[in-house]
PDB file of all heavy atoms in Angstrom:
ATOM      1  N   TRP H 478     129.536  42.907 104.391  1.00 95.00           N
ATOM      2  CA  TRP H 478     129.132  44.405 104.311  1.00 95.00           C
ATOM      3  C   TRP H 478     130.371  45.203 104.553  1.00 95.00           C
ATOM      4  O   TRP H 478     130.312  46.165 105.335  1.00 95.00           O
ATOM      5  CB  TRP H 478     128.039  44.663 105.386  1.00 95.00           C
ATOM      6  CG  TRP H 478     126.858  44.063 104.846  1.00 95.00           C
ATOM      7  CD1 TRP H 478     125.856  44.626 104.004  1.00 95.00           C
ATOM      8  CD2 TRP H 478     126.280  42.720 105.193  1.00 95.00           C
ATOM      9  NE1 TRP H 478     124.837  43.607 103.728  1.00 95.00           N
ATOM     10  CE2 TRP H 478     125.083  42.562 104.446  1.00 95.00           C
ATOM     11  CE3 TRP H 478     126.713  41.730 105.973  1.00 95.00           C
ATOM     12  CZ2 TRP H 478     124.386  41.387 104.635  1.00 95.00           C
ATOM     13  CZ3 TRP H 478     126.041  40.649 106.203  1.00 95.00           C
ATOM     14  CH2 TRP H 478     124.832  40.386 105.444  1.00 95.00           C
ATOM     15  N   PHE H 480     134.114  46.822 102.206  1.00 96.00           N
ATOM     16  CA  PHE H 480     134.978  46.828 101.053  1.00 96.00           C
ATOM     17  C   PHE H 480     136.390  46.570 101.520  1.00 96.00           C
ATOM     18  O   PHE H 480     136.784  47.010 102.543  1.00 96.00           O
ATOM     19  CB  PHE H 480     134.975  48.291 100.399  1.00 96.00           C
ATOM     20  CG  PHE H 480     133.636  48.586  99.655  1.00 96.00           C
ATOM     21  CD1 PHE H 480     132.908  49.565 100.113  1.00 96.00           C
ATOM     22  CD2 PHE H 480     133.369  47.960  98.535  1.00 96.00           C
ATOM     23  CE1 PHE H 480     131.813  49.995  99.511  1.00 96.00           C
ATOM     24  CE2 PHE H 480     132.233  48.316  97.799  1.00 96.00           C
ATOM     25  CZ  PHE H 480     131.478  49.354  98.348  1.00 96.00           C
ATOM     26  N   TYR H 503     123.830  39.338  95.966  1.00 95.00           N
ATOM     27  CA  TYR H 503     123.011  40.545  95.889  1.00 95.00           C
ATOM     28  C   TYR H 503     123.814  41.822  95.500  1.00 95.00           C
ATOM     29  O   TYR H 503     125.007  41.801  95.545  1.00 95.00           O
ATOM     30  CB  TYR H 503     122.132  40.861  97.246  1.00 95.00           C
ATOM     31  CG  TYR H 503     122.978  40.765  98.513  1.00 95.00           C
ATOM     32  CD1 TYR H 503     123.707  41.661  99.041  1.00 95.00           C
ATOM     33  CD2 TYR H 503     123.004  39.483  99.087  1.00 95.00           C
ATOM     34  CE1 TYR H 503     124.521  41.611 100.016  1.00 95.00           C
ATOM     35  CE2 TYR H 503     123.871  39.332 100.241  1.00 95.00           C
ATOM     36  CZ  TYR H 503     124.594  40.339 100.633  1.00 95.00           C
ATOM     37  OH  TYR H 503     125.240  40.220 101.801  1.00 95.00           O
ATOM     38  N   ASP H 504     123.022  42.841  94.902  1.00 96.00           N
ATOM     39  CA  ASP H 504     123.720  43.897  94.339  1.00 96.00           C
ATOM     40  C   ASP H 504     124.304  44.882  95.383  1.00 96.00           C
ATOM     41  O   ASP H 504     123.873  44.980  96.616  1.00 96.00           O
ATOM     42  CB  ASP H 504     122.773  44.778  93.487  1.00 96.00           C
ATOM     43  CG  ASP H 504     122.320  44.090  92.346  1.00 96.00           C
ATOM     44  OD1 ASP H 504     122.744  42.872  92.073  1.00 96.00           O
ATOM     45  OD2 ASP H 504     121.626  44.680  91.427  1.00 96.00           O
ATOM     46  N   HIS H 505     125.367  45.583  95.091  1.00 96.00           N
ATOM     47  CA  HIS H 505     125.899  46.652  95.844  1.00 96.00           C
ATOM     48  C   HIS H 505     126.087  47.753  94.843  1.00 96.00           C
ATOM     49  O   HIS H 505     125.793  47.565  93.581  1.00 96.00           O
ATOM     50  CB  HIS H 505     127.337  46.239  96.511  1.00 96.00           C
ATOM     51  CG  HIS H 505     127.272  45.264  97.541  1.00 96.00           C
ATOM     52  ND1 HIS H 505     126.776  45.603  98.800  1.00 96.00           N
ATOM     53  CD2 HIS H 505     127.665  43.994  97.629  1.00 96.00           C
ATOM     54  CE1 HIS H 505     126.693  44.434  99.604  1.00 96.00           C
ATOM     55  NE2 HIS H 505     127.283  43.472  98.920  1.00 96.00           N
ATOM     56  N   GLY H 506     126.696  48.719  95.409  1.00 96.00           N
ATOM     57  CA  GLY H 506     127.094  49.801  94.440  1.00 96.00           C
ATOM     58  C   GLY H 506     128.333  50.521  94.941  1.00 96.00           C
ATOM     59  O   GLY H 506     128.715  50.390  96.061  1.00 96.00           O
ATOM     60  N   TYR H 539     131.582  54.774  99.073  1.00 97.00           N
ATOM     61  CA  TYR H 539     130.498  54.000  99.890  1.00 97.00           C
ATOM     62  C   TYR H 539     129.667  53.167  99.020  1.00 97.00           C
ATOM     63  O   TYR H 539     129.650  53.509  97.774  1.00 97.00           O
ATOM     64  CB  TYR H 539     129.766  55.130 100.771  1.00 97.00           C
ATOM     65  CG  TYR H 539     129.050  56.112  99.883  1.00 97.00           C
ATOM     66  CD1 TYR H 539     127.750  55.828  99.421  1.00 97.00           C
ATOM     67  CD2 TYR H 539     129.719  57.298  99.541  1.00 97.00           C
ATOM     68  CE1 TYR H 539     127.051  56.712  98.584  1.00 97.00           C
ATOM     69  CE2 TYR H 539     129.067  58.242  98.723  1.00 97.00           C
ATOM     70  CZ  TYR H 539     127.726  58.051  98.335  1.00 97.00           C
ATOM     71  OH  TYR H 539     127.083  58.831  97.534  1.00 97.00           O
ATOM     72  N   CYS H 540     129.035  52.245  99.629  1.00 97.00           N
ATOM     73  CA  CYS H 540     127.927  51.535  98.860  1.00 97.00           C
ATOM     74  C   CYS H 540     126.780  52.482  98.557  1.00 97.00           C
ATOM     75  O   CYS H 540     126.290  53.105  99.578  1.00 97.00           O
ATOM     76  CB  CYS H 540     127.657  50.271  99.600  1.00 97.00           C
ATOM     77  SG  CYS H 540     126.423  49.292  98.764  1.00 97.00           S
ATOM     78  N   SER H 541     126.360  52.391  97.368  1.00 96.00           N
ATOM     79  CA  SER H 541     125.221  53.372  96.965  1.00 96.00           C
ATOM     80  C   SER H 541     123.983  52.510  96.606  1.00 96.00           C
ATOM     81  O   SER H 541     122.900  53.085  96.253  1.00 96.00           O
ATOM     82  CB  SER H 541     125.539  54.132  95.609  1.00 96.00           C
ATOM     83  OG  SER H 541     126.037  53.182  94.617  1.00 96.00           O
ATOM     84  N   VAL H 542     123.767  51.157  96.966  1.00 96.00           N
ATOM     85  CA  VAL H 542     122.723  50.443  96.760  1.00 96.00           C
ATOM     86  C   VAL H 542     122.348  49.710  98.043  1.00 96.00           C
ATOM     87  O   VAL H 542     123.132  49.028  98.733  1.00 96.00           O
ATOM     88  CB  VAL H 542     122.915  49.369  95.661  1.00 96.00           C
ATOM     89  CG1 VAL H 542     121.741  48.422  95.622  1.00 96.00           C
ATOM     90  CG2 VAL H 542     123.236  49.984  94.404  1.00 96.00           C
ATOM     91  N   PRO H 543     121.147  50.039  98.621  1.00 96.00           N
ATOM     92  CA  PRO H 543     120.728  49.416 100.013  1.00 96.00           C
ATOM     93  C   PRO H 543     120.760  47.861  99.865  1.00 96.00           C
ATOM     94  O   PRO H 543     120.362  47.339  98.808  1.00 96.00           O
ATOM     95  CB  PRO H 543     119.279  49.847 100.021  1.00 96.00           C
ATOM     96  CG  PRO H 543     119.280  51.093  99.334  1.00 96.00           C
ATOM     97  CD  PRO H 543     120.168  50.893  98.123  1.00 96.00           C
ATOM     98  N   CYS H 544     121.584  47.303 100.672  1.00 94.00           N
ATOM     99  CA  CYS H 544     121.983  45.891 100.520  1.00 94.00           C
ATOM    100  C   CYS H 544     121.838  45.083 101.814  1.00 94.00           C
ATOM    101  O   CYS H 544     122.230  43.951 101.803  1.00 94.00           O
ATOM    102  CB  CYS H 544     123.425  45.818 100.015  1.00 94.00           C
ATOM    103  SG  CYS H 544     124.538  46.604 101.139  1.00 94.00           S
ATOM    104  N   GLY H 545     121.203  45.585 102.785  1.00 93.00           N
ATOM    105  CA  GLY H 545     120.740  44.765 103.902  1.00 93.00           C
ATOM    106  C   GLY H 545     121.727  44.787 105.011  1.00 93.00           C
ATOM    107  O   GLY H 545     122.503  45.728 105.085  1.00 93.00           O
ATOM    108  N   THR H 555     126.052  46.445 108.455  1.00 95.00           N
ATOM    109  CA  THR H 555     124.853  46.864 107.614  1.00 95.00           C
ATOM    110  C   THR H 555     125.492  47.571 106.380  1.00 95.00           C
ATOM    111  O   THR H 555     126.726  47.824 106.255  1.00 95.00           O
ATOM    112  CB  THR H 555     123.912  47.876 108.248  1.00 95.00           C
ATOM    113  OG1 THR H 555     124.650  49.080 108.359  1.00 95.00           O
ATOM    114  CG2 THR H 555     123.544  47.468 109.627  1.00 95.00           C
ATOM    115  N   HIS H 556     124.655  47.813 105.452  1.00 95.00           N
ATOM    116  CA  HIS H 556     124.925  48.675 104.245  1.00 95.00           C
ATOM    117  C   HIS H 556     125.645  49.826 104.717  1.00 95.00           C
ATOM    118  O   HIS H 556     126.572  50.319 103.904  1.00 95.00           O
ATOM    119  CB  HIS H 556     123.540  48.905 103.519  1.00 95.00           C
ATOM    120  CG  HIS H 556     123.598  50.074 102.646  1.00 95.00           C
ATOM    121  ND1 HIS H 556     124.166  50.001 101.492  1.00 95.00           N
ATOM    122  CD2 HIS H 556     123.110  51.471 102.770  1.00 95.00           C
ATOM    123  CE1 HIS H 556     124.069  51.145 100.801  1.00 95.00           C
ATOM    124  NE2 HIS H 556     123.371  52.004 101.711  1.00 95.00           N
ATOM    125  N   PHE H 557     125.295  50.570 105.769  1.00 96.00           N
ATOM    126  CA  PHE H 557     125.954  51.832 106.049  1.00 96.00           C
ATOM    127  C   PHE H 557     127.438  51.535 106.591  1.00 96.00           C
ATOM    128  O   PHE H 557     128.155  52.627 106.711  1.00 96.00           O
ATOM    129  CB  PHE H 557     125.175  52.562 107.135  1.00 96.00           C
ATOM    130  CG  PHE H 557     123.843  52.843 106.640  1.00 96.00           C
ATOM    131  CD1 PHE H 557     122.747  52.194 106.908  1.00 96.00           C
ATOM    132  CD2 PHE H 557     123.668  53.920 105.747  1.00 96.00           C
ATOM    133  CE1 PHE H 557     121.419  52.466 106.440  1.00 96.00           C
ATOM    134  CE2 PHE H 557     122.430  54.337 105.130  1.00 96.00           C
ATOM    135  CZ  PHE H 557     121.216  53.480 105.452  1.00 96.00           C
ATOM    136  N   MET H 559     129.604  49.871 104.764  1.00 96.00           N
ATOM    137  CA  MET H 559     130.414  49.728 103.601  1.00 96.00           C
ATOM    138  C   MET H 559     130.918  51.154 103.092  1.00 96.00           C
ATOM    139  O   MET H 559     130.334  51.784 102.163  1.00 96.00           O
ATOM    140  CB  MET H 559     129.471  49.123 102.467  1.00 96.00           C
ATOM    141  CG  MET H 559     129.105  47.747 102.789  1.00 96.00           C
ATOM    142  SD  MET H 559     128.279  46.902 101.345  1.00 96.00           S
ATOM    143  CE  MET H 559     129.857  46.697 100.315  1.00 96.00           C
TER     144      MET H 559
HETATM  145 CU1   CU T1181     124.922  48.532 100.395  1.00 57.03          CU
END
Side-chain angles (χ1 to χ4, degrees):
W478 290 274
F480 288 116
Y503 39 87
D504 292 4
H505 289 291
Y539 59 92
C540 178
S541 57
V542 173
C544 55
T555 75
H556 160 73
F557 297 102
M559 293 188 72

